[in-house]
């Protein structure tokens, strides 16, 4: 049987080449993109401005490539976690986080991750493969709240700068006039810092950046092995070359581990490290994962840490925990799923 061409993730030019090759007018490409991204219509039969004959032809030759989540967990606080099963039976996750007028979707960029961060469940899986742009876009378009989303964060499974071609291609679909037509300011890429990928992202994208710091000094390499190749101090120097004062926002993510990075001297070292940068710091509670000798800092220490940063003129907030009852930390659900399918 002839395999169908999947259209999700194709650029307008790629799509035009396809439809023209199938004997259809070039503008059919534009019509299809409008139905997919503007109207969230994923059946050729419903694309009413395309001729009936061409709709039937499309249905035999192509598929949109929408692949909805196979499992949804809903938290008492409204957070929803989705599990997607990919064509090769691997799984990735996305998390929907409603918060007053915002509705954020946290999406994955890789199956597993090669960065091996000590505190992370996805890191324990190692890198299995990169996601294609279509698989990234699918997470955004196929979730139940797709039409209500206000923000996208590339903060799920994987290190986005380690799969930057596909990540940038998916971002293009989110921000381009032919795609979702969102402002780049509604999109944030989160990274531990991979030198080449980060530089390219800063040059080629206008979206926000969230850097996972988690320690202001040499101990960072014990928590985030990628720090050995690209130490935090070098990364901060690179960031100083870019303007974060207007359109683009820079934030530092700082998971607080008891007795590791939660002292007042750590707060001072952090303030010193990022001094002069237009940025904010998000302090994050750590949710223990099995087999990892780390625990969350106390509320008292987190508050003291935040206040110390604020006194130094750095905007720092303690992020509210969301979806704790549904394994909302990245990689938890797919790791559980992997374990179950292996049993
Ligand atoms: Fe990879 Fe991010 Fe997990 Fe580190 S925290 S292992 S970069 S997914």
């Amino acid at each position: 049987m002839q395999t169908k061409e999947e259209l999700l993730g194709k650029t307008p030019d790629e799509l035009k080449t396809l439809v023209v090759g199938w004997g259809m007018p070039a503008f059919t490409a534009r019509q299809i993109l409008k139905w997919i991204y503007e109207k969230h219509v994923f059946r050729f039969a419903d694309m009413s401005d395309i001729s009936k004959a061409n709709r039937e032809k499309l249905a035999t030759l192509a598929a949109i490539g929408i692949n909805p989540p196979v499992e949804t967990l809903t938290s008492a606080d409204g957070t929803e976690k989705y599990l997607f099963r990919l064509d090769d039976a691997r799984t990735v996750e996305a998390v929907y986080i409603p918060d007053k007028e915002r509705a954020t979707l946290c999406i994955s960029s890789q199956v597993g991750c090669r960065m091996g961060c000590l505190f992370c469940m996805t890191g324990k899986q190692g890198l299995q493969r990169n996601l294609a742009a279509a698989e990234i876009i699918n997470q955004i378009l196929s979730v139940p709240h797709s039409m209500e989303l206000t923000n996208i964060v590339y903060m799920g499974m994987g290190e986005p700068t380690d799969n930057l071609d596909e990540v940038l291609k998916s971002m293009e679909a989110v921000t381009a006039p032919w795609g979702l037509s969102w402002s780049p300011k509604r999109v944030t890429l989160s990274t531990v810092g991979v030198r080449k990928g980060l530089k390219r992202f800063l040059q080629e994208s206008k979206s926000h950046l969230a850097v996972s710091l988690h320690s202001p000094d040499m101990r960072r390499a014990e928590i985030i092995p990628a720090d050995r190749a690209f130490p935090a101090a070098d990364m901060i120097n690179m960031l100083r070359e870019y303007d974060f004062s207007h359109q683009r926002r820079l934030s530092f993510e700082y998971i607080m581990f008891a007795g590791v990075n939660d002292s007042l001297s750590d707060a001072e070292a952090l303030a010193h490290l990022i001094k002069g940068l237009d940025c904010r710091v998000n302090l994050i509670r750590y949710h223990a994962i099995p087999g990892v000798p780390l625990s969350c800092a106390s509320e008292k220490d987190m508050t003291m840490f935040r206040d110390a940063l604020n006194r130094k003129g750095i905007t720092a907030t303690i992020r509210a925990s969301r979806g704790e009852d549904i394994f909302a930390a990245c990689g938890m659900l797919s790791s559980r799923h992997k374990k179950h399918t292996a049993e």
Side-chain angles (χ1 to χ4, degrees), residues 30-98:
R30 216 173 45 239
Q31 290 171 308
I32 294 171
L33 289 170
K34 212 172 158 78
W35 283 108
I36 295 176
Y37 290 101
E38 215 171 282
K39 303 186 178 155
H40 289 220
V41 166
F42 306 129
R43 276 163 34 105
F44 294 118
D46 297 331
M47 299 183 177
S48 53
D49 57 358
I50 298 175
S51 74
K52 190 158 181 285
N54 281 345
R55 277 184 268 160
E56 284 168 4
K57 202 192 248 185
L58 282 167
T60 54
L61 295 170
I64 303 290
I66 285 289
N67 176 24
V70 291
E71 190 178 339
T72 301
L73 299 179
T74 305
S75 163
D77 67 16
T79 303
E80 289 183 12
K81 177 158 230 179
Y82 311 108
L83 186 79
F84 297 89
R85 185 170 295 117
L86 308 172
D87 286 351
D88 57 5
R90 293 187 160 101
T91 54
V92 288
E93 304 168 9
V95 182
Y96 167 74
I97 309 155

Side-chain angles (χ1 to χ4, degrees), residues 46-230:
D46 297 331
M47 299 183 177
S48 53
D49 57 358
I50 298 175
S51 74
K52 190 158 181 285
N54 281 345
R55 277 184 268 160
E56 284 168 4
K57 202 192 248 185
L58 282 167
T60 54
L61 295 170
I64 303 290
I66 285 289
N67 176 24
V70 291
E71 190 178 339
T72 301
L73 299 179
T74 305
S75 163
D77 67 16
T79 303
E80 289 183 12
K81 177 158 230 179
Y82 311 108
L83 186 79
F84 297 89
R85 185 170 295 117
L86 308 172
D87 286 351
D88 57 5
R90 293 187 160 101
T91 54
V92 288
E93 304 168 9
V95 182
Y96 167 74
I97 309 155
D99 184 18
K100 301 188 189 98
E101 69 287 354
R102 280 165 79 101
T104 303
L105 189 71
C106 173
I107 58 175
S108 295
S109 56
Q110 296 179 311
V111 187
C113 182
R114 78 168 98 221
M115 298 298 140
C117 301
L118 181 63
F119 51 87
C120 173
M121 207 65 187
T122 304
K124 309 266 168 268
Q125 297 180 13
L127 177 65
Q128 296 174 45
R129 72 167 172 86
N130 285 331
L131 290 185
E135 291 168 321
I136 302 174
I137 300 164
N138 175 64
Q139 296 168 60
I140 302 166
L141 293 182
S142 74
V143 295
H145 299 281
S146 180
M147 296 289 256
E148 297 147 40
L149 296 176
T150 62
N151 296 78
I152 303 280
V153 292
Y154 288 73
M155 215 178 259
M157 299 171 70
E159 164 54 54
T161 64
D162 192 37
N163 181 23
L164 200 58
D165 283 339
E166 299 302 308
V167 163
L168 289 176
K169 209 170 167 194
S170 68
M171 281 185 177
E172 170 78 3
V174 174
T175 57
W178 57 262
L180 290 174
S181 208
W182 282 22
S183 157
K185 290 190 283 183
R186 293 166 66 185
V187 178
T188 301
L189 177 139
S190 169
T191 181
V192 293
V194 174
R195 195 187 301 264
K196 229 167 107 192
L198 178 57
K199 191 164 185 86
R200 194 175 148 210
F201 169 74
L202 288 164
Q203 288 167 343
E204 294 184 22
S205 166
K206 293 191 177 70
S207 288
H208 297 320
L209 178 67
V211 171
S212 300
L213 207 50
H214 311 331
S215 170
D217 56 33
M218 309 277 285
R219 287 169 300 162
R220 183 169 185 262
E222 290 163 29
I223 311 171
I224 302 175
D227 187 83
R228 289 187 199 115
F230 190 28

